[in-house]
Amino acid sequence: MGLFLGALGVVYGDIGTSPIYALQTIFNPGDPHPVPVNTENVYGIVSLIFWSVTIIVTVFYVGLAMRADNDGEGGIMALITLLRRHVGGRGRKAAFALAALGIFGAALFLGDSMITPAISVLSAVEGIKTVSTGLEAVIIPATAVIIVMLFALQKRGTHVIGRWFGPIMAVWFGALALLGVGGIAGNPEILRALSPTYAIDFVFGNFGIAFFALAAVILTFTGAEALYADMGHFGRKPISRAWIAVVFPSVMLNYMGQGALILEDSGNVSGSFFLLAPEALRIPLLVLTTVATVIAAQAVISGAFSVASQASELGYLPRLRIAHTSEHQYGQIYVPWINWLLMVSVLVLVFAFRTSEALAFAYGMAVIGTITIVALLFLYVARIRWGAPRWALATGGGLLLAICLAFLAASSTKIIHGAWLPLLIGVGAFTVMITWQRGREVVTFERESREGSLLEFVDKLREGEPKVARVPGTAVFLDRGKHSAPLAMRSNLEQNHARHSQIVILSVLTEPVPRVAEDDRLTVDQLGDDRDAVIHVTARFGYMETPDVPRALEAIDPEQAEGRRLNLDRATYFLSTIQLKPGKARTMATWRKHLFIATSHITADAAEHFRLPRERTMIIGSHIEV
């Protein structure tokens, strides 16, 4: 029940608040391609909303896509991981192309994560106009204050936020349903829109109008990708059950109620959501709506944390400082750098666009672009991982892609009206990610060629090469594994011509469990000789633990350290760092080299991360040209 309520509070805020602005945007007379308000069009639009949400969210995301997980993690980055893991041989080129497409989809989702909080909070605060038109001047400042407060809350973690937001969203969905039922009671004929024939007649009978309307219908399933991206936070079952039992029926009842209200009077289009409530209840509804839209932003913010974390693990972003906020769900994380980047971006959008209607034109492109790419990747994964029959993929998958492409084509008509924004954000984020991946490959290749084999290096050291003086004390060199010699160790021996009487080469691993038992914490390897005073240690930590390296090393027995206790009170810790500079080699375009070097500066500080004593930590750098 806790995860169920948490999913309501974190995952479904975005899609659950779409009824506030979706219908009035579709019938907005200020739209470049407005939908005329008449009985046939109202029935057609409501039917189109119902069946679009049913196919894309209920059938595709909840029924299919969420079954394709990477150790419990969902989202577009999880699909890329599955592609990498299961594709081999002749399928590698196709997988590489799809992975690149997936990275662009992830970049679009980051754009969605910037637009959603802006449009959600703005649309709610704009409801103040239905109370008094004289309060319009406070809309922008109030929106900015609410957004800052929302992002300041993120460090508390999604489990805490979900505990607060879950009950509120339960009330919100109850209010959506009640308001919808009230509207339907005034005109029960609207229930006819449940028949797909109205949607089909609207699309094929008024194709010129319907095609452009699709771009606004996308607003009714914004947040669909958040269901998938947030799967690591709550798990598949709580998310899918919350959708079927609460969210889907509540949202659809509200759209039906608004449709019934518009049928009664076409003047109800503007503010149709708030007009469902009796006048005496509009101020309480405005307060609840504002709170709900703040929560709506949480879905994509949490999803952005997941996407950034997985992108970092896959090598598309630098190592980011990630705080795990729950002992029960591995995917509940907080990424400070992404959090503050999103906050600044959202505030810029609010002050630049100033109204939810202006932002609505930009909104759909990011959403449907990501959904289309996810659908394509999923169909490929379904074939290579599960062996789905070709006929099923050709029929069901073909229909799904046809629907997505129709929405994408309609959304492209809004490019000059604002849809350029998410594309620009997506292209920018995509460029950063593929540049980081390429630059990382160049640096890794050069670094490994310089490091050489650890075992060969230790053997030469044992034989007296290079000739160095032995000084008292313990040296701890942090490295990624035990296959290559740390650059810091090589540089120290070659430049200082000295080695410590005890050398520990340490690798730190983070396991997908909250905490690692002390008995399983350390693995010690004497690297083929128990008398050369050089050992390799692997330290394992759970994702909820702070990797306190000095404390972990205290558990090493003297027998494991070749009969001598490590002198950790005076141990010196060595970190390898690489100073990057653009070189003449044609590895990348010059501007990409500068972008890669600039991106490297956001890498998390290793000394702080591993709790190393600053006064006894030495950072030895090497220059590598990219």
Side-chain angles (χ1 to χ4, degrees):
M1 182 57 69
L3 290 173
F4 182 92
L5 281 175
L8 281 181
V10 172
V11 178
Y12 288 112
D14 186 8
I15 201 166
T17 53
S18 296
I20 301 170
Y21 52 80
L23 267 181
Q24 72 176 34
T25 301
I26 293 171
F27 291 109
N28 176 21
D31 190 290
H33 309 96
V35 177
V37 183
N38 57 51
T39 302
E40 292 76 16
N41 288 350
V42 171
Y43 277 114
I45 286 293
V46 173
S47 182
L48 189 59
I49 289 172
F50 176 81
W51 287 103
S52 297
V53 173
T54 298
I55 293 170
I56 291 175
V57 183
T58 308
V59 176
F60 176 56
Y61 272 103
V62 175
L64 297 173
M66 290 177 66
R67 298 179 184 275
D69 67 284
N70 175 39
D71 297 327
E73 289 286 348
I76 199 165
M77 299 304 295
L79 286 174
I80 294 172
T81 307
L82 294 175
L83 278 174
R84 285 180 162 191
R85 185 180 300 169
H86 293 281
V87 173
R90 290 177 298 176
R92 286 192 180 277
K93 288 186 178 180
F96 178 81
L98 288 170
L101 188 62
I103 294 301
F104 183 65
L108 283 177
F109 181 73
L110 292 177
D112 183 20
S113 303
M114 298 174 186
I115 299 173
T116 294
I119 192 173
S120 297
V121 179
L122 257 179
S123 64
V125 179
E126 284 171 348
I128 202 170
K129 293 186 292 186
T130 65
V131 177
S132 173
T133 55
L135 296 175
E136 287 190 34
V138 306
I139 291 175
I140 300 299
T143 300
V145 170
I146 291 169
I147 286 169
V148 170
M149 291 174 62
L150 170 66
F151 282 96
L153 277 175
Q154 296 305 313
K155 62 184 178 183
R156 297 185 176 272
T158 48
H159 71 297
V160 174
I161 294 172
R163 192 185 310 152
W164 294 347
F165 288 177
I168 296 173
M169 289 307 291
V171 173
W172 169 254
F173 287 116
L176 284 184
L178 288 174
L179 291 173
V181 169
I184 293 169
N187 194 343
E189 293 291 309
I190 192 64
L191 293 175
R192 292 164 140 188
L194 292 173
S195 170
T197 57
Y198 286 92
I200 295 170
D201 289 343
F202 175 71
V203 170
F204 292 100
N206 307 275
F207 186 77
I209 296 173
F211 175 73
F212 293 110
L214 291 178
V217 173
I218 294 170
L219 300 177
T220 63
F221 49 83
T222 58
E225 175 62 14
L227 273 70
Y228 193 22
D230 283 338
M231 193 164 70
H233 291 254
F234 299 99
R236 181 175 67 87
K237 288 184 179 179
I239 292 175
S240 58
R241 288 170 180 171
W243 171 256
I244 298 298
V246 177
V247 181
F248 185 49
S250 299
V251 167
M252 285 305 129
L253 282 171
N254 196 269
Y255 282 125
M256 293 280 178
Q258 289 187 57
L261 195 68
I262 295 170
L263 284 176
E264 289 181 7
D265 183 354
S266 60
N268 291 332
V269 165
S270 181
S272 59
F273 173 77
F274 290 100
L275 293 174
L276 279 175
E279 191 169 347
L281 295 178
R282 283 181 194 162
I283 292 179
L285 178 62
L286 176 62
V287 173
L288 178 61
T289 302
T290 303
V291 175
T293 51
V294 170
I295 296 171
Q298 184 62 47
V300 290
I301 294 172
S302 301
F305 291 163
S306 296
V307 167
S309 173
Q310 293 177 60
S312 180
E313 291 176 4
L314 290 173
Y316 292 104
L317 285 177
R319 182 182 69 244
L320 301 171
R321 186 166 75 84
I322 297 172
H324 289 269
T325 57
S326 171
E327 295 193 24
H328 306 292
Q329 288 293 120
Y330 176 66
Q332 291 193 8
I333 57 175
Y334 166 64
V335 187
W337 198 89
I338 296 296
N339 185 64
W340 303 121
L341 173 66
L342 288 178
M343 187 190 77
V344 171
S345 303
V346 171
L347 289 174
V348 169
L349 290 176
V350 168
F351 286 107
F353 283 82
R354 306 191 71 82
T355 68
S356 60
E357 290 180 354
L359 272 169
F361 295 143
Y363 201 16
M365 178 61 78
V367 174
I368 194 59
T370 304
I371 291 173
T372 303
I373 294 171
V374 168
L376 190 60
L377 295 182
F378 171 80
L379 293 174
Y380 197 80
V381 169
R383 176 62 186 167
I384 63 173
R385 187 185 186 191
W386 300 324
R390 294 182 185 275
W391 65 266
L393 295 177
T395 53
L399 177 62
L400 175 65
L401 285 176
I403 293 172
C404 289
L405 290 173
F407 278 111
L408 186 63
S411 188
S412 66
T413 64
K414 305 293 185 183
I415 287 178
I416 61 173
H417 303 289
W420 57 267
L421 176 65
L423 287 177
L424 181 63
I425 295 172
V427 169
F430 175 74
T431 303
V432 169
M433 287 193 280
I434 62 170
T435 298
W436 179 260
Q437 183 203 30
R438 174 58 185 155
R440 183 172 171 269
E441 289 175 353
V442 173
V443 171
T444 299
F445 178 80
E446 179 63 23
R447 179 172 181 162
E448 289 178 348
S449 66
R450 293 188 187 186
E451 288 176 337
S453 168
L454 174 60
L455 291 177
E456 290 179 7
F457 184 78
V458 171
D459 287 341
K460 289 182 179 180
L461 184 65
R462 190 182 301 128
E463 295 168 1
E465 295 182 18
K467 295 196 178 293
V468 294
R470 185 182 289 245
V471 297
T474 300
V476 181
F477 295 89
L478 274 75
D479 199 27
R480 294 165 298 170
K482 63 178 182 180
H483 300 294
S484 59
L487 279 178
M489 185 169 71
R490 279 188 176 274
S491 298
N492 185 51
L493 294 177
E494 293 169 0
Q495 301 301 322
N496 297 327
H497 307 291
R499 57 153 291 179
H500 288 72
S501 60
Q502 289 178 301
I503 295 177
V504 178
I505 302 167
L506 176 70
S507 302
V508 178
L509 301 179
T510 300
E511 303 290 346
V513 294
R515 301 184 187 280
V516 172
E518 289 300 324
D519 292 342
D520 300 325
R521 176 84 62 204
L522 301 176
T523 301
V524 180
D525 185 346
Q526 296 180 350
L527 299 174
D529 193 302
D530 59 358
R531 292 164 296 177
D532 59 6
V534 181
I535 61 174
H536 183 276
V537 177
T538 302
R540 296 177 176 83
F541 295 91
Y543 61 80
M544 281 298 295
E545 296 178 290
T546 300
D548 191 332
V549 164
R551 184 178 178 184
L553 291 178
E554 291 174 358
I556 296 179
D557 292 329
E559 292 182 2
Q560 295 175 301
E562 303 182 355
R564 292 174 293 177
R565 181 171 294 279
L566 298 178
N567 185 10
L568 295 174
D569 292 336
R570 297 183 180 179
T572 304
Y573 296 87
F574 291 85
L575 294 172
S576 303
T577 185
I578 295 175
Q579 300 297 322
L580 302 171
K581 59 181 182 180
K584 295 181 180 179
R586 296 182 178 180
T587 54
M588 291 186 289
T590 302
W591 66 268
R592 290 185 69 193
K593 292 180 181 181
H594 288 287
L595 176 61
F596 173 70
I597 293 170
T599 306
S600 70
H601 294 311
I602 69 173
T603 304
D605 181 67
E608 178 185 351
H609 182 68
F610 295 119
R611 296 289 181 91
L612 305 182
R614 289 283 184 180
E615 69 280 4
R616 289 186 283 115
T617 299
M618 296 186 66
I619 300 175
I620 299 181
S622 299
H623 288 279
I624 289 182
E625 293 185 350
V626 293

